[in-house]
Amino acid sequence: MEFLRSVCPHDCPDTCGLLVGREGGRVVSVRGDPDHPFTRGAVCVKVAHYPERIYSPLRVTRPLRRTGKKGEGRFAPISWDEALDEIAQRYMEIAHKYGPEAILPYSYAGTMGLVHFHGGHAFFHRLGATRLKRTICSSAVEAGFAVTFGRIPTTDIESTVHSDLIIIWGSNTISTNMHAWPFFLEARRRGAIIAVIDPYRNRTARQADIHIQLRPGTDAALAMSIMSVLVEEGLIDKDFIKTHTVGFERLKPRLADYTPAKVKGLTAIPESAIREIARLYGKARAPYIRLGWGPGRQLRGGMAVRTIAVLPALIGATKKKGGGITRSTSAAFDLNLKPLTREDLGPQGVRSVNMVELGNALLRLDDPPVMAMHVYHSNPAVVAPQSAMVMKGLSREDLFTVVQEHLLTETALYADLVLPGASFLESTDLYRSYGHYYLQMANPVIEPVGEARPTLEIFKALAGRMGFSDDCFKMTEEAIIREMLKTDSPYLRGINYEELRTGRPVRLRVPENPLEGGFKTPSGKVEIYSQTLADQGLDPLPDGTPSLDVEGMGKYPLQLITPPRHQFLNSTFNEIEDLREQAGMPSLMIHPRDAEQRGIKSGMEVRVWNDRGECFLNADVTDRTGLGVTVIEGLYWPRFMKGNLGINQLTSQCLTDMGESCAFHCNLVEVGVARQLPADEVGL
């Protein structure tokens, strides 16, 4: 057996370096690359099972044409020429009859490889199709943080070994950012305290020294309350505030409304606990915040993140070795994507559809209606909110749906044509990270399984059939990567293709403290007061108003959050039986008092519902979650849940205050003991 270098392609900040075992032309093992400076030879429980994913019985190895009703999963194999000819013909007919905006691409982070993530962009721009706003995950967090700091690289997690206080805010690090945890543990070995702020006691909270269990949607109120203590007790860095921030004096009067005594009821955090974490933060030598995605997945998520981001500025944490804040490292990977995406090929004024609002787009959009959808690197039947509407839209017989996939997923079951996509082990790509500062390239480890093709190759073939002759449709993966490296970014200076093609991680030219160089806001400072927000008619100051599910207010008493499950990554890895067995039955965490009021005991099947939909789960009565708060860790494919009803039946298409993202953690529901489902409704 030989081992070849590769890179994990999944939507995770760690972007692991891998060693892939190959024998007889097949992948037989996947393990971590011990030479990677950040991931250091470890892989998560999910990626360790990758050979089972590559050779899954659900793997699509030939183009398929639907022969039954949508959703039945009955298909017949056809040739690539037949499939591509049919797609091109249907797209031309739809564009002629309705206009090209009747065609909707739908893709996201099924791969984080830059070539294939963007592999269809130029095609759909050239076609004049509706443009997709790819905002479902991180846009609120990005927008909120940028208001305060600008779009800049943030604190290097590797430097946190020098911190004496690590606050993990809204991130289950052990499950979703596992390679950061050893750095945090090293800091603890040197004397640091690890605190977790999260609505439920997840794996990371159970390993922390302190767990602040706040009510969902009150992150901004907690941050404001911490600020009030810092100011009240003189724990702020006045020199840093004077030199590097704008708007502090405007903020101070507002803090009077957020003292620990005033917010303890709102946040469900005792006054003493708020004061304790504030004092620890204000007195620490090098305090550090790992800011996760949880706070941003609320309707006021942008404001929550923007408010939390003010905290390091009040105490000058960004100038201290080991201190600061990590939101994302992605701003340092300023690669040249224009030759790949080619936005210039499209006509002006083309409409956009937000991917969060897919259900609305498929059922309500007109002038023109969506008559074709091309799905790649995504599984919207599982991941898109308000699933009932999405599934109704996917069931439309007049909707021509193409799905490029590795596996016969829930979305693929509704396709008219399924195209077999190559995996990351069967294609070439370049990978940036949003959790560390190493750029990596991966070459194919095996030949594509069956007739699978890489994303870029599929769209180049379609472009040829559509008569698109632009140069971008002739470029190879290597040529595109070479073009990406043509950038004037100081972070990428001197990095070349020859160095990357070895497969070894290449460190960006990022300083030890990326935040020492200043802030990329209009003022060049940390903006406590934001004129940008004021110009948009938004509150220019941090604000602690909680996020609430406005559609469920007055109807449903329990909050619901839907964080990731340790064994899955969004909807990926459901196909692996061993991981499903480790994950156990889909379950709902509910507080003992809430359960008692409803006659619910652990192990009972419960129905969870609101006006958007319902699903059925096993009850887990536990104090790991707070009173009035329920938790469903996901995402299970609906076929593995009762009634084929997934968790996103309960989530909303309402958009966040900034970034137009999805408020996956902002839901109101009711829970009750389930009725017995008829046998033909049971999806197990």
Side-chain angles (χ1 to χ4, degrees):
M1 181 168 58
E2 59 180 335
F3 288 91
L4 295 92
R5 282 192 167 84
S6 191
V7 183
C8 180
H10 289 287
D11 188 5
C12 166
D14 294 15
T15 320
C16 295
L18 304 177
L19 291 179
V20 181
R22 182 178 69 185
E23 189 170 33
R26 290 174 61 88
V27 173
V28 295
S29 71
V30 176
R31 66 190 194 193
D33 181 356
D35 293 334
H36 193 290
F38 185 78
T39 60
R40 300 181 174 187
V43 293
C44 67
V45 66
K46 302 174 280 287
V47 171
H49 283 77
Y50 228 94
E52 297 165 59
R53 179 171 168 81
I54 294 293
Y55 304 111
S56 168
L58 294 176
R59 183 76 193 262
V60 181
T61 59
R62 296 182 63 184
L64 303 173
R65 178 186 286 131
R66 178 169 63 92
T67 58
K69 294 181 180 180
K70 290 195 172 187
E72 286 184 345
R74 289 197 285 139
F75 298 94
I78 58 175
S79 70
W80 267 106
D81 283 339
E82 288 177 289
L84 294 171
D85 287 345
E86 183 172 342
I87 295 168
Q89 182 64 34
R90 291 294 298 273
Y91 284 178
M92 287 188 281
E93 290 173 355
I94 289 168
H96 177 74
K97 183 174 181 179
Y98 298 95
E101 289 177 313
I103 301 167
L104 174 67
Y106 197 96
S107 70
Y108 198 60
T111 179
M112 296 297 285
L114 293 169
V115 173
H116 297 291
F117 179 100
H118 298 95
H121 285 42
F123 174 83
F124 289 110
H125 289 152
R126 177 66 175 81
L127 180 61
T130 290
R131 298 203 175 189
L132 185 71
K133 293 183 179 180
R134 294 173 172 85
T135 63
I136 198 167
C137 180
S138 60
S139 295
V141 179
E142 292 171 0
F145 192 85
V147 167
T148 303
F149 271 71
R151 297 188 183 277
I152 57 173
T154 53
T155 302
D156 188 345
I157 289 174
E158 293 180 60
S159 73
T160 62
V161 295
H162 302 293
S163 175
D164 60 338
L165 175 66
I166 292 171
I167 297 177
I168 301 171
W169 199 317
S171 169
N172 186 1
T173 299
I174 290 175
S175 292
T176 64
N177 187 191
M178 62 172 277
H179 297 90
W181 189 244
F183 294 98
F184 299 163
L185 290 181
E186 174 59 21
R188 176 193 268 170
R189 189 188 69 79
R190 300 181 186 188
I193 293 171
I194 299 176
V196 167
I197 298 174
D198 205 280
Y200 80 115
R201 198 160 66 249
N202 55 39
R203 286 173 183 255
T204 308
R206 294 201 296 271
Q207 296 296 319
D209 302 300
I210 297 170
H211 177 208
I212 305 293
Q213 190 168 358
L214 80 171
R215 184 171 287 127
T218 64
D219 301 86
L222 174 58
M224 294 285 281
S225 194
I226 292 172
M227 291 181 209
S228 77
V229 175
L230 295 175
V231 173
E232 174 194 343
E233 300 192 5
L235 299 175
I236 58 175
D237 186 331
K238 294 180 180 179
D239 289 339
F240 189 93
I241 291 170
K242 181 179 179 180
T243 305
H244 297 291
T245 75
V246 293
F248 175 67
E249 292 302 322
R250 297 194 191 196
L251 172 67
K252 284 173 66 177
R254 185 171 287 192
L255 297 179
D257 294 329
Y258 292 96
T259 64
K262 290 182 178 179
V263 304
K264 64 181 181 181
L266 181 67
T267 61
I269 305 170
E271 180 179 351
S272 59
I274 298 174
R275 290 194 176 276
E276 178 190 17
I277 194 66
R279 288 167 179 159
L280 285 171
Y281 189 66
K283 295 177 181 180
R285 171 183 47 79
Y288 165 80
I289 295 174
R290 177 45 166 135
L291 178 54
W293 281 257
R297 290 180 178 156
Q298 296 281 346
L299 284 174
R300 293 178 56 82
M303 179 57 78
V305 170
R306 176 265 197 286
T307 302
I308 295 167
V310 169
L311 285 168
L314 296 191
I315 60 171
T318 60
K319 68 181 182 182
K320 299 173 181 178
K321 186 175 182 178
I325 185 168
T326 301
R327 209 293 299 169
S328 172
T329 61
S330 56
F333 294 84
D334 191 15
L335 293 149
N336 176 25
L337 298 177
K338 291 180 181 179
L340 177 59
T341 59
R342 292 300 303 272
E343 291 190 24
D344 60 298
L345 293 179
Q348 296 294 313
V350 174
R351 75 177 178 190
S352 295
V353 163
N354 191 308
M355 67 188 309
V356 175
E357 300 176 306
L358 179 61
N360 287 337
L362 293 179
L363 296 180
R364 298 173 179 170
L365 198 63
D366 56 14
D367 195 27
V370 175
M371 299 304 297
M373 186 165 78
H374 196 123
V375 180
Y376 57 107
H377 304 320
S378 187
N379 189 6
V382 181
V383 304
Q386 208 159 346
S387 295
M389 289 186 68
V390 174
M391 302 312 294
K392 186 176 180 180
L394 289 174
S395 299
R396 283 174 41 200
E397 282 295 333
D398 64 340
L399 177 70
F400 178 62
T401 304
V402 178
V403 175
Q404 294 174 207
E405 253 297 353
H406 306 149
L407 306 166
L408 205 60
T409 62
E410 310 298 276
T411 306
L413 296 178
Y414 288 81
D416 294 286
L417 292 173
V418 183
L419 305 180
S423 73
F424 78 103
L425 296 175
E426 301 155 353
S427 54
T428 299
D429 220 323
L430 185 67
Y431 296 88
R432 60 187 174 188
S433 171
Y434 57 95
H436 59 67
Y437 288 111
Y438 297 91
L439 184 64
Q440 301 166 92
M441 179 177 161
N443 296 299
V445 172
I446 56 171
E447 292 296 319
V449 173
E451 298 179 21
R453 294 185 182 182
T455 300
L456 184 70
E457 183 179 333
I458 293 171
F459 282 110
K460 285 164 61 176
L462 278 174
R465 281 167 167 78
M466 299 289 288
F468 301 161
S469 58
D470 309 84
D471 289 345
C472 60
F473 300 119
K474 301 179 179 67
M475 294 178 73
T476 63
E477 293 158 325
E478 176 182 338
I480 289 170
I481 292 171
R482 288 184 181 276
E483 287 296 316
M484 285 187 197
L485 295 171
K486 294 178 180 178
T487 171
D488 58 4
S489 169
Y491 304 126
L492 291 152
R493 186 175 295 121
I495 296 176
N496 58 59
Y497 181 85
E498 284 66 32
E499 185 178 17
L500 288 165
R501 71 183 300 180
T502 66
R504 295 181 180 276
V506 178
R507 172 83 181 185
L508 299 190
R509 295 7 177 184
V510 174
E512 183 179 7
N513 181 358
L515 296 173
E516 269 188 331
F519 309 96
K520 290 191 177 179
T521 57
S523 66
K525 299 181 178 183
V526 175
E527 296 200 344
I528 298 172
Y529 179 93
S530 169
Q531 188 60 47
T532 300
L533 290 183
D535 292 344
Q536 295 172 5
L538 300 174
D539 192 337
L541 287 168
D543 177 70
T545 303
S547 288
L548 297 169
D549 177 2
V550 293
E551 295 177 337
M553 288 176 62
K555 300 179 184 179
Y556 302 102
L558 299 174
Q559 289 183 282
L560 168 68
I561 61 172
T562 59
R565 201 169 193 90
H566 187 73
Q567 293 81 8
F568 305 142
L569 199 160
N570 299 323
S571 72
T572 309
F573 298 105
N574 268 249
E575 71 281 356
I576 297 173
E577 184 176 2
D578 184 52
L579 290 177
R580 292 200 309 275
E581 289 178 356
Q582 290 182 39
M585 295 287 289
S587 60
L588 173 92
M589 296 183 203
I590 185 169
H591 190 273
R593 283 170 56 186
D594 293 321
E596 183 180 10
Q597 291 172 6
R598 293 161 175 80
I600 294 170
K601 296 181 179 179
S602 280
M604 280 186 172
E605 182 180 293
V606 294
R607 174 181 176 240
V608 188
W609 76 94
N610 57 23
D611 288 350
R612 296 185 282 266
E614 64 179 358
C615 62
F616 298 85
L617 304 108
N618 277 17
D620 178 9
V621 179
T622 175
D623 63 1
R624 287 177 57 201
T625 188
L627 184 65
V629 179
T630 61
V631 182
I632 306 174
E633 293 181 329
L635 283 167
Y636 289 85
W637 288 0
R639 72 181 71 173
F640 301 123
M641 297 184 67
K642 288 287 182 73
N644 286 294
L645 298 170
I647 293 165
N648 276 319
Q649 291 276 332
L650 305 167
T651 55
S652 169
Q653 295 179 83
C654 292
L655 302 178
T656 56
D657 56 343
M658 303 178 200
E660 297 185 322
S661 195
C662 187
F664 281 116
H665 295 337
C666 193
N667 313 287
L668 289 172
V669 299
E670 182 55 282
V671 180
V673 177
R675 64 180 175 85
Q676 185 65 42
L677 283 175
D680 61 355
E681 291 185 38
V682 177
L684 295 178

